[in-house]
Amino acid sequence: MSEVLNVEEIFASNLFTLGKMKERLPKNVYKEVKKVMDQGGELSLAAADVVAKAMKDWAVEHGATHYTHWFQPLTGITAEKHDAFVTHPDEEGRMIMEFSGKELIKGEPDASSFPSGGLRATFEARGYTAWDITSPAFLKEDATGVILCIPTAFCSYTGEALDKKTPLLRSMEAVSEQALRIVRLFGNTEATKVVASVGPEQEYFLVDREKYLQREDLIFAGRTLFGAPAPKGQELEDHYFGTIRERIGAYMKDLNIELWKLGVTAKTQHNEVAPAQHELAPIYETANIAVDHNQLVMETMKKVAGRHGLTCLLHEKPFAGVNGSGKHNNWSLGTDNGVNLLDPGDTPNENIQFLLVLACIMKAVDTHADLLRQSASDVGNDHRLGANEAPPAIISMFLGEQLEDVVRQLVETGEAAHSIQGGKLMTGVSTLPDLDKDATDRNRTSPFAFTGNKFEFRMVGSADSIASPNTVLNAIVAEAFCEAADILEKADNFDAAVHNLIKQYMTEHQRIVFNGDGYSDEWVAEAQRRGLPNIKSMVEASSTLTTPKAIKLFEKFGIFTRVELESREEILYETYSKTINIEALTMIDMAKKQILPAVIKYTKSLADTVIAVKEAGADASVQAALLDDVSRELASAKKALIELEDLEKEAASIENQKELAFFYKDRIRVAMDALRAPVDALEMLVDKKVWPMPTYGDLIFEV
Ligand code: ADP
Ligand code: MG
């Protein structure tokens, strides 16, 4: 019998929850905290001191020795710098652990080495971290001991955001304010804010750690840069939702426990499409907490893997030829009095507030399709979006049969008289229940799909932070709400005005709706006819951040300044070039030091064989032909290697970051593919025993 897990007890045991604050804080301080959490504003220093002490006492009771401001710089991962609670000893040498309100609220890491895109010169490198009171503090347990982590925002001395959290928080306030104007128009006087909720489904791969350590590409690039396909791929679909193997199961169990302790509601787990690929989904929560938690999920996935002799790969495309990994970002908006703005109800045609919200989202997504696409781009995701794998890089919206029909009625006649209903699903078996059917089937090929009471943005990459996609979603929808509210608040006849506006928006933006197969070539052509942007790469998407349209949007709602946007664009170029440079150097290293020497040795043994066989008077034509084939591919590989090395030298002379990024995309990546092709061909030709690293078959089928 396995040990009984008390999940209720484990859950949030490492989280300084509101409940714990209530228990440990004097009533007035607790009230103050709650007020700032709900309505914004600043905590008094006196209250902060009390909170800090309570937080520290709780942490120390759980074994904590240090605290850290935990933040999310533009590297896309999280950062921490630990400080012990240690203070100066008194005369008698006694030391009392302390933590002050000031230390809780503000930190100043010397963080001059984080990417800032020119926002901070190193001589003026002050960066501050500020406590995000809306995201609870937590304890991280690992070999370092127990560390109290305080979620914070990270800003420069002059107030520019240097992180992913600050703009997200700003966008949440913007969408809340504008959405409130919409619900007020429909008579909701109770709601005091509208909250963006997010549930991210996280895909990942697990490989054996020993084998991982034998592959430089996995170590340095997080993905395979060489590798011939295994005889079997994912074509049998026997892995998807398949029984979870023991070793993986033990990992998942451990992972869940670690996440539950942190208050992450790990809920769903299953095997994904590709061999060795899996998924975890938590229950949705407030956007900024969901973002923090997704970072913790990724970090914990990696950490726990080590305990099981595994390595977790979060890269978007660790293996060519099988599915890559993404992150479905489920997003909705709800009032604090319990109304989900994206819930159509049973008869959406009669739900005018929902139709207005839908019309605004159609407008937002159509107007800023480029920004949304940009928000889902990172270096690894270039292998998926519009490249080797669906979904395409074109943004479109899937509404489903029911809503599409309502939109059509509105656009064509100005009235929506009815809604298609779901009906019953007949199982045809007397002992099985007949099921109520949703009014709409799913569409797995749409990048932005309406799924019942939320939108599912499916383009996001598995390794990426979900902060940017949600910042953009909140911002563009805030803008559409604002424009609608500006018109409707002034209208003499509200009913007529809202009716006209819904019809107008839906008519003007219906081109963004597409319910067909998003993976087909016909859609690419059709999207082009409709004038929808098809931005094929991260590098090309980067400049969408600084178009006049984007600057106007983000400045209007105080989410980004022009300078912040320009710096972020610059950082994207830098990140791209640096990442591809690492990949190229890794390929060169592997080819030169491992692959070519192994193959050369093999040609020697083949040549010896040919001679020996001939001397023995037998026919050596098979051996000689093989030697020919191997030598030919070897020569191609060598030639491609030299070309890649030359291009790397050329890259070193390019100073402009944008130009350099394009050089890496258009020249270096092409040269990398050219080197990979003959090497993969060689892998198929030579004796497995001489191949210097584990193959695809070893990596993804033998976990
Ligand atoms: P799927 O069938 O699409 O794979 P999952 O159950 O794996 O669904 O994940 C769906 C995600 O959407 C979960 O994280 C879930 O909590 C989240 N979700 C459900 N309802 C909402 C909502 N109203 N707003 C945001 N996210 C939601
Ligand atoms: Mg799922």
mmCIF file of all heavy atoms in Angstrom, residues 197-201 268 270 279 281-284 328 330-332 340 442 444 453-454 456, ligand 1:
data_model
loop_
_atom_site.group_PDB
_atom_site.id
_atom_site.type_symbol
_atom_site.label_atom_id
_atom_site.label_comp_id
_atom_site.label_asym_id
_atom_site.label_seq_id
_atom_site.Cartn_x
_atom_site.Cartn_y
_atom_site.Cartn_z
ATOM 1 N N SER A 197 -8.390 36.370 -15.781
ATOM 2 C CA SER A 197 -7.997 35.055 -15.257
ATOM 3 C C SER A 197 -7.284 34.260 -16.329
ATOM 4 O O SER A 197 -7.637 34.342 -17.508
ATOM 5 C CB SER A 197 -9.231 34.253 -14.846
ATOM 6 O OG SER A 197 -9.841 34.858 -13.748
ATOM 7 N N VAL A 198 -6.315 33.468 -15.893
ATOM 8 C CA VAL A 198 -5.512 32.718 -16.850
ATOM 9 C C VAL A 198 -5.249 31.299 -16.344
ATOM 10 O O VAL A 198 -4.933 31.095 -15.170
ATOM 11 C CB VAL A 198 -4.159 33.434 -17.091
ATOM 12 C CG1 VAL A 198 -3.218 32.573 -17.926
ATOM 13 C CG2 VAL A 198 -4.379 34.772 -17.773
ATOM 14 N N GLY A 199 -5.409 30.343 -17.233
ATOM 15 C CA GLY A 199 -5.037 28.950 -16.947
ATOM 16 C C GLY A 199 -4.118 28.452 -18.045
ATOM 17 O O GLY A 199 -4.554 28.254 -19.170
ATOM 18 N N PRO A 200 -2.824 28.302 -17.775
ATOM 19 C CA PRO A 200 -1.911 27.864 -18.824
ATOM 20 C C PRO A 200 -1.660 26.353 -18.782
ATOM 21 O O PRO A 200 -1.312 25.806 -17.740
ATOM 22 C CB PRO A 200 -0.605 28.604 -18.489
ATOM 23 C CG PRO A 200 -0.660 28.836 -17.007
ATOM 24 C CD PRO A 200 -2.087 28.689 -16.545
ATOM 25 N N GLU A 201 -1.842 25.684 -19.917
ATOM 26 C CA GLU A 201 -1.523 24.254 -20.006
ATOM 27 C C GLU A 201 -0.067 24.146 -20.450
ATOM 28 O O GLU A 201 0.309 24.696 -21.470
ATOM 29 C CB GLU A 201 -2.428 23.579 -21.028
ATOM 30 C CG GLU A 201 -3.906 23.743 -20.729
ATOM 31 C CD GLU A 201 -4.768 23.444 -21.950
ATOM 32 O OE1 GLU A 201 -4.577 22.393 -22.578
ATOM 33 O OE2 GLU A 201 -5.625 24.279 -22.279
ATOM 34 N N THR A 268 -4.477 18.724 -13.988
ATOM 35 C CA THR A 268 -4.554 17.720 -15.047
ATOM 36 C C THR A 268 -3.159 17.261 -15.442
ATOM 37 O O THR A 268 -2.252 18.080 -15.529
ATOM 38 C CB THR A 268 -5.224 18.352 -16.290
ATOM 39 O OG1 THR A 268 -6.398 19.021 -15.866
ATOM 40 C CG2 THR A 268 -5.581 17.305 -17.315
ATOM 41 N N HIS A 270 -1.229 14.376 -18.270
ATOM 42 C CA HIS A 270 -1.388 13.296 -19.251
ATOM 43 C C HIS A 270 -0.200 13.245 -20.191
ATOM 44 O O HIS A 270 0.591 14.187 -20.256
ATOM 45 C CB HIS A 270 -2.699 13.440 -20.033
ATOM 46 C CG HIS A 270 -2.822 14.711 -20.837
ATOM 47 N ND1 HIS A 270 -2.261 14.870 -22.071
ATOM 48 C CD2 HIS A 270 -3.452 15.873 -20.562
ATOM 49 C CE1 HIS A 270 -2.545 16.082 -22.529
ATOM 50 N NE2 HIS A 270 -3.252 16.717 -21.623
ATOM 51 N N GLU A 279 1.961 16.709 -20.351
ATOM 52 C CA GLU A 279 1.338 18.017 -20.092
ATOM 53 C C GLU A 279 0.841 18.110 -18.655
ATOM 54 O O GLU A 279 0.415 17.109 -18.067
ATOM 55 C CB GLU A 279 0.162 18.241 -21.044
ATOM 56 C CG GLU A 279 -0.485 19.614 -20.840
ATOM 57 C CD GLU A 279 -1.754 19.824 -21.663
ATOM 58 O OE1 GLU A 279 -1.646 19.867 -22.898
ATOM 59 O OE2 GLU A 279 -2.836 19.942 -21.057
ATOM 60 N N ALA A 281 -1.690 20.846 -16.381
ATOM 61 C CA ALA A 281 -2.494 22.080 -16.356
ATOM 62 C C ALA A 281 -2.974 22.352 -14.941
ATOM 63 O O ALA A 281 -3.459 21.452 -14.265
ATOM 64 C CB ALA A 281 -3.672 21.966 -17.308
ATOM 65 N N PRO A 282 -2.806 23.569 -14.477
ATOM 66 C CA PRO A 282 -3.361 23.972 -13.187
ATOM 67 C C PRO A 282 -4.756 24.554 -13.388
ATOM 68 O O PRO A 282 -5.188 24.763 -14.522
ATOM 69 C CB PRO A 282 -2.413 25.076 -12.747
ATOM 70 C CG PRO A 282 -1.997 25.738 -14.015
ATOM 71 C CD PRO A 282 -2.057 24.681 -15.097
ATOM 72 N N ILE A 283 -5.448 24.846 -12.311
ATOM 73 C CA ILE A 283 -6.725 25.554 -12.414
ATOM 74 C C ILE A 283 -6.425 27.041 -12.599
ATOM 75 O O ILE A 283 -5.464 27.562 -12.018
ATOM 76 C CB ILE A 283 -7.561 25.340 -11.147
ATOM 77 C CG1 ILE A 283 -7.867 23.833 -10.986
ATOM 78 C CG2 ILE A 283 -8.855 26.138 -11.197
ATOM 79 C CD1 ILE A 283 -8.570 23.499 -9.676
ATOM 80 N N TYR A 284 -7.242 27.696 -13.401
ATOM 81 C CA TYR A 284 -6.987 29.116 -13.698
ATOM 82 C C TYR A 284 -7.062 29.984 -12.442
ATOM 83 O O TYR A 284 -7.742 29.650 -11.480
ATOM 84 C CB TYR A 284 -7.961 29.625 -14.751
ATOM 85 C CG TYR A 284 -9.405 29.673 -14.324
ATOM 86 C CD1 TYR A 284 -9.969 30.853 -13.842
ATOM 87 C CD2 TYR A 284 -10.210 28.558 -14.401
ATOM 88 C CE1 TYR A 284 -11.302 30.911 -13.458
ATOM 89 C CE2 TYR A 284 -11.541 28.598 -14.016
ATOM 90 C CZ TYR A 284 -12.077 29.774 -13.534
ATOM 91 O OH TYR A 284 -13.383 29.830 -13.147
ATOM 92 N N HIS A 328 -0.968 26.396 -23.930
ATOM 93 C CA HIS A 328 -2.258 26.995 -24.250
ATOM 94 C C HIS A 328 -2.636 27.956 -23.132
ATOM 95 O O HIS A 328 -2.753 27.557 -21.979
ATOM 96 C CB HIS A 328 -3.326 25.908 -24.412
ATOM 97 C CG HIS A 328 -3.124 25.079 -25.646
ATOM 98 N ND1 HIS A 328 -3.909 24.008 -25.972
ATOM 99 C CD2 HIS A 328 -2.200 25.174 -26.625
ATOM 100 C CE1 HIS A 328 -3.489 23.488 -27.108
ATOM 101 N NE2 HIS A 328 -2.446 24.171 -27.524
ATOM 102 N N ASN A 330 -5.276 29.955 -21.534
ATOM 103 C CA ASN A 330 -6.720 30.166 -21.419
ATOM 104 C C ASN A 330 -6.965 31.456 -20.663
ATOM 105 O O ASN A 330 -6.447 31.638 -19.559
ATOM 106 C CB ASN A 330 -7.363 28.998 -20.667
ATOM 107 C CG ASN A 330 -7.254 27.702 -21.451
ATOM 108 O OD1 ASN A 330 -8.104 27.396 -22.270
ATOM 109 N ND2 ASN A 330 -6.174 26.948 -21.220
ATOM 110 N N TRP A 331 -7.783 32.332 -21.238
ATOM 111 C CA TRP A 331 -7.914 33.691 -20.702
ATOM 112 C C TRP A 331 -9.380 34.102 -20.661
ATOM 113 O O TRP A 331 -10.141 33.815 -21.590
ATOM 114 C CB TRP A 331 -7.106 34.624 -21.598
ATOM 115 C CG TRP A 331 -7.241 36.095 -21.370
ATOM 116 C CD1 TRP A 331 -6.466 36.878 -20.559
ATOM 117 C CD2 TRP A 331 -8.179 36.981 -21.994
ATOM 118 N NE1 TRP A 331 -6.867 38.191 -20.638
ATOM 119 C CE2 TRP A 331 -7.921 38.281 -21.513
ATOM 120 C CE3 TRP A 331 -9.216 36.804 -22.908
ATOM 121 C CZ2 TRP A 331 -8.649 39.398 -21.909
ATOM 122 C CZ3 TRP A 331 -9.956 37.910 -23.303
ATOM 123 C CH2 TRP A 331 -9.667 39.193 -22.806
ATOM 124 N N SER A 332 -9.787 34.724 -19.578
ATOM 125 C CA SER A 332 -11.149 35.266 -19.507
ATOM 126 C C SER A 332 -11.163 36.492 -18.602
ATOM 127 O O SER A 332 -10.168 36.798 -17.940
ATOM 128 C CB SER A 332 -12.125 34.216 -18.969
ATOM 129 O OG SER A 332 -11.851 33.958 -17.605
ATOM 130 N N ASN A 340 -18.731 36.247 -15.388
ATOM 131 C CA ASN A 340 -17.710 36.029 -16.410
ATOM 132 C C ASN A 340 -18.177 36.726 -17.690
ATOM 133 O O ASN A 340 -19.190 36.356 -18.272
ATOM 134 C CB ASN A 340 -17.518 34.522 -16.643
ATOM 135 C CG ASN A 340 -16.504 34.230 -17.746
ATOM 136 O OD1 ASN A 340 -16.001 35.147 -18.408
ATOM 137 N ND2 ASN A 340 -16.201 32.959 -17.931
ATOM 138 N N ARG A 442 -14.957 21.300 -30.869
ATOM 139 C CA ARG A 442 -13.671 21.975 -30.698
ATOM 140 C C ARG A 442 -12.981 22.137 -32.036
ATOM 141 O O ARG A 442 -13.245 21.413 -32.966
ATOM 142 C CB ARG A 442 -12.771 21.121 -29.807
ATOM 143 C CG ARG A 442 -13.231 21.068 -28.394
ATOM 144 C CD ARG A 442 -12.107 20.460 -27.617
ATOM 145 N NE ARG A 442 -12.438 20.330 -26.212
ATOM 146 C CZ ARG A 442 -11.613 20.708 -25.248
ATOM 147 N NH1 ARG A 442 -10.448 21.246 -25.539
ATOM 148 N NH2 ARG A 442 -11.942 20.537 -23.998
ATOM 149 N N ARG A 444 -9.010 22.248 -33.013
ATOM 150 C CA ARG A 444 -7.654 22.202 -32.472
ATOM 151 C C ARG A 444 -6.660 23.008 -33.297
ATOM 152 O O ARG A 444 -5.512 23.150 -32.922
ATOM 153 C CB ARG A 444 -7.198 20.733 -32.376
ATOM 154 C CG ARG A 444 -7.741 20.040 -31.143
ATOM 155 C CD ARG A 444 -6.989 20.546 -29.926
ATOM 156 N NE ARG A 444 -7.601 20.128 -28.676
ATOM 157 C CZ ARG A 444 -7.444 20.779 -27.538
ATOM 158 N NH1 ARG A 444 -6.735 21.888 -27.509
ATOM 159 N NH2 ARG A 444 -7.979 20.343 -26.429
ATOM 160 N N ASN A 453 -16.298 29.548 -22.309
ATOM 161 C CA ASN A 453 -16.437 30.776 -21.517
ATOM 162 C C ASN A 453 -15.090 31.474 -21.376
ATOM 163 O O ASN A 453 -14.837 32.186 -20.421
ATOM 164 C CB ASN A 453 -17.032 30.464 -20.140
ATOM 165 C CG ASN A 453 -16.153 29.502 -19.356
ATOM 166 O OD1 ASN A 453 -15.070 29.119 -19.824
ATOM 167 N ND2 ASN A 453 -16.593 29.111 -18.183
ATOM 168 N N LYS A 454 -14.216 31.205 -22.336
ATOM 169 C CA LYS A 454 -12.858 31.761 -22.305
ATOM 170 C C LYS A 454 -12.278 31.671 -23.700
ATOM 171 O O LYS A 454 -12.807 30.948 -24.550
ATOM 172 C CB LYS A 454 -11.989 30.931 -21.354
ATOM 173 C CG LYS A 454 -11.899 29.454 -21.768
ATOM 174 C CD LYS A 454 -11.130 28.609 -20.773
ATOM 175 C CE LYS A 454 -11.395 27.133 -20.884
ATOM 176 N NZ LYS A 454 -10.793 26.375 -21.930
ATOM 177 N N GLU A 456 -8.831 30.608 -25.774
ATOM 178 C CA GLU A 456 -7.630 29.803 -25.602
ATOM 179 C C GLU A 456 -6.619 30.260 -26.649
ATOM 180 O O GLU A 456 -6.802 30.007 -27.840
ATOM 181 C CB GLU A 456 -8.009 28.325 -25.787
ATOM 182 C CG GLU A 456 -6.922 27.350 -25.447
ATOM 183 C CD GLU A 456 -7.435 25.892 -25.432
ATOM 184 O OE1 GLU A 456 -8.666 25.677 -25.334
ATOM 185 O OE2 GLU A 456 -6.604 24.984 -25.536
HETATM 186 P P1 ADP B 1 -8.031 21.119 -22.585
HETATM 187 O O1 ADP B 1 -9.145 20.189 -22.695
HETATM 188 O O2 ADP B 1 -8.204 22.356 -23.435
HETATM 189 O O3 ADP B 1 -6.688 20.479 -22.725
HETATM 190 P P2 ADP B 1 -7.345 21.554 -19.781
HETATM 191 O O4 ADP B 1 -8.267 21.061 -18.733
HETATM 192 O O5 ADP B 1 -6.065 20.835 -20.003
HETATM 193 O O6 ADP B 1 -8.210 21.684 -21.121
HETATM 194 O O7 ADP B 1 -7.000 23.063 -19.500
HETATM 195 C C1 ADP B 1 -7.931 24.091 -19.557
HETATM 196 C C2 ADP B 1 -7.396 25.254 -18.764
HETATM 197 O O8 ADP B 1 -8.320 26.341 -18.863
HETATM 198 C C3 ADP B 1 -7.269 24.953 -17.273
HETATM 199 O O9 ADP B 1 -6.126 25.577 -16.776
HETATM 200 C C4 ADP B 1 -8.529 25.603 -16.730
HETATM 201 O O10 ADP B 1 -8.458 25.920 -15.365
HETATM 202 C C5 ADP B 1 -8.597 26.837 -17.570
HETATM 203 N N1 ADP B 1 -9.886 27.537 -17.536
HETATM 204 C C6 ADP B 1 -11.109 27.024 -17.372
HETATM 205 N N2 ADP B 1 -12.040 28.001 -17.312
HETATM 206 C C7 ADP B 1 -11.392 29.183 -17.447
HETATM 207 C C8 ADP B 1 -11.772 30.559 -17.463
HETATM 208 N N3 ADP B 1 -13.038 30.939 -17.337
HETATM 209 N N4 ADP B 1 -10.794 31.474 -17.614
HETATM 210 C C9 ADP B 1 -9.515 31.129 -17.748
HETATM 211 N N5 ADP B 1 -9.104 29.862 -17.744
HETATM 212 C C10 ADP B 1 -10.010 28.890 -17.591
#
